[in-house]
Amino acid sequence: MPPPKEIEIKFLVASPATLERKLAAMGFHRVTPSTHESNTLYDLSGQKLRWSGQLLRLRKYGDAWLLTHKSRAQVGKHKARFEIETPVGDGPQMDGILRALGYQPVFVYEKYRSEWTDGRGHVVLDQTPIGDFAEIEGTPRWIDSTAKALDVDRESYVTKSYAELFFDWKRRYKRKAMNMTFRECSGRAKTARNSTRQSSAEAEAGSGV
């Protein structure tokens, strides 16, 4: 049986409070309140996973840990990729196992995430060091209809990963941060609003996050 396929888009959020009011009016209910999330990406020597378009991620969301592998993304109007994930009881121990197998942390990114659903798909609101984003995940038709109801046009769809958005932001504002953390980015930094157009090279080389 093939692993589940994740289909999603991001979009920039001008006002988190306004987005939450719209979601509530559309019948969505909040599954989790805004919760701190820390993500560590791992790779082998020579960045073998990155260059093959794969991703290995250890995530801490509140007190819960999750290990995820994602395949190379198929990027069109939406971004789609197969993913396998499993809960982890002890995050530091899993980190030790990954390091023992030759994997090393290569990028850390964090955000505050709240999750919403209408029973058919999910919308998450991410407040990050480089700006506020939302993700819509579900079937392509549901994604498009939900985006339209939220007044998000298709030209506003973002299919870049957070790693790609971060490095775009870093180049644009000439920042020295190596990871997308609030500490390294000095808290709430300038928005990534002008960094959402994806080059073909980034789509090929970047890992989705």
Side-chain angles (χ1 to χ4, degrees), residues 100-174:
L101 292 172
Y103 292 90
Q104 293 295 320
V106 292
F107 182 64
V108 177
Y109 65 102
E110 65 178 340
K111 53 189 184 281
Y112 286 87
R113 166 171 283 190
S114 60
E115 302 178 4
W116 296 71
T117 185
D118 67 348
R120 294 182 295 162
H122 290 84
V123 176
V124 300
L125 172 59
D126 290 337
Q127 295 176 282
T128 87
I130 62 170
D132 298 328
F133 293 85
E135 292 181 355
I136 306 176
E137 181 178 345
T139 64
R141 180 175 294 181
W142 184 86
I143 289 172
D144 291 340
S145 64
T146 301
K148 184 177 180 180
L150 290 171
D151 299 317
V152 178
D153 59 44
R154 297 188 183 186
E155 289 71 28
S156 299
Y157 286 12
V158 177
T159 55
K160 287 187 176 185
S161 70
Y162 277 121
E164 291 167 317
L165 290 171
F166 167 74
F167 285 106
D168 282 350
W169 170 87
K170 180 178 172 176
R171 286 190 295 268
R172 179 176 179 81
Y173 295 109
K174 297 179 174 58

Side-chain angles (χ1 to χ4, degrees), residues 58 88-99:
L58 183 61
V88 172
D90 190 322
Q93 284 288 88
M94 178 56 71
D95 171 77
I97 291 171
L98 293 172
R99 290 173 187 263

Side-chain angles (χ1 to χ4, degrees), residues 107 128-131 163 165-192 195:
F107 182 64
T128 87
I130 62 170
L165 290 171
F166 167 74
F167 285 106
D168 282 350
W169 170 87
K170 180 178 172 176
R171 286 190 295 268
R172 179 176 179 81
Y173 295 109
K174 297 179 174 58
R175 301 298 289 268
K176 295 182 179 180
M178 298 303 296
N179 297 286
M180 198 180 86
T181 65
F182 291 100
R183 181 181 62 83
E184 291 193 41
C185 297
S186 301
R188 294 305 308 277
K190 296 177 180 178
T191 180
S195 303

